[in-house]
Amino acid sequence: MADDVIISRNKSRELIFKCMYSFLILEECNVSIDFKGLIEMVTDENYDDVDYFIKKNLLECLKHQKEIIDYIEPFLNKWTFKRLNYVIQAILITSVADYFYCQEGNKNIIIDCAIKLAKRYADDTKDYKYVNGILDNALKNDRK
């Protein structure tokens, strides 16, 4: 990061979530996605100065997006992933990617961060409970 500023993992995860949310919206609108440009816009940093953790996790989210969605769907209790709002979709994708592909955080930390994001950004005040339940069940399995 510029000027050797170090941000917390929770703040990094929030930025990853914001990027993923933006990607989901752009994808739905069939707009081409500029990976570097979007990261720069969300983080307000030059791409080269953005923390490697953010770039790596976001790349894993995008690379494994379909696989993650297919993995999550059985835990949605008669819902489909597409029926979820984009905030919840982004939280679930980033959390599962962090757990299975980045493997830096543990289950409890990832779920705690996801709950905080849901409380802060979701429309329904009870969405955080839904996110908690899905992730608690989905992240029980051994890492892939």
Side-chain angles (χ1 to χ4, degrees):
M1 308 244 3
D3 301 322
D4 295 326
V5 174
I6 304 216
I7 60 174
S8 71
R9 284 293 186 238
N10 279 348
K11 182 63 178 169
S12 293
R13 287 183 174 102
E14 182 177 5
L15 292 170
I16 294 163
F17 152 76
K18 287 179 176 181
C19 287
M20 190 67 221
Y21 175 81
S22 298
F23 280 124
L24 290 170
I25 299 293
L26 293 172
E27 183 178 69
E28 180 66 25
C29 296
N30 286 326
V31 174
S32 63
I33 298 170
D34 173 14
F35 183 80
K36 289 181 180 181
L38 191 116
I39 291 173
E40 288 178 339
M41 182 186 72
V42 170
T43 62
D44 199 28
E45 294 281 341
N46 181 297
Y47 181 80
D48 293 334
D49 296 330
V50 174
D51 185 9
Y52 176 76
F53 177 83
I54 293 171
K55 294 186 276 192
K56 179 185 183 302
N57 281 26
L58 188 55
L59 191 57
E60 294 297 338
C61 290
L62 297 172
K63 187 167 116 179
H64 298 287
Q65 181 177 346
K66 169 119 176 60
E67 183 181 334
I68 291 168
I69 291 168
D70 290 344
Y71 176 77
I72 292 171
E73 219 150 31
F75 299 101
L76 299 182
N77 300 327
K78 300 179 184 176
W79 278 64
T80 62
F81 191 80
K82 284 294 185 188
R83 283 185 62 201
L84 301 174
N85 68 51
Y86 292 117
V87 168
I88 302 305
Q89 288 182 22
I91 291 170
L92 293 174
I93 290 171
T94 57
S95 298
V96 171
D98 191 0
Y99 185 75
F100 284 121
Y101 301 107
C102 302
Q103 301 180 358
E104 279 196 31
N106 71 32
K107 175 185 171 179
N108 293 334
I109 292 170
I110 292 169
I111 291 174
D112 183 57
C113 185
I115 290 169
K116 288 176 184 174
L117 290 171
K119 284 180 176 179
R120 184 168 184 189
Y121 294 102
D123 292 332
D124 189 329
T125 57
K126 296 179 183 175
D127 279 346
Y128 78 92
K129 293 178 183 178
Y130 186 67
V131 167
N132 182 34
I134 291 168
L135 291 176
D136 189 46
N137 290 318
L139 303 184
K140 279 185 181 176
N141 298 329
D142 291 331
R143 293 182 197 256
K144 294 182 181 181

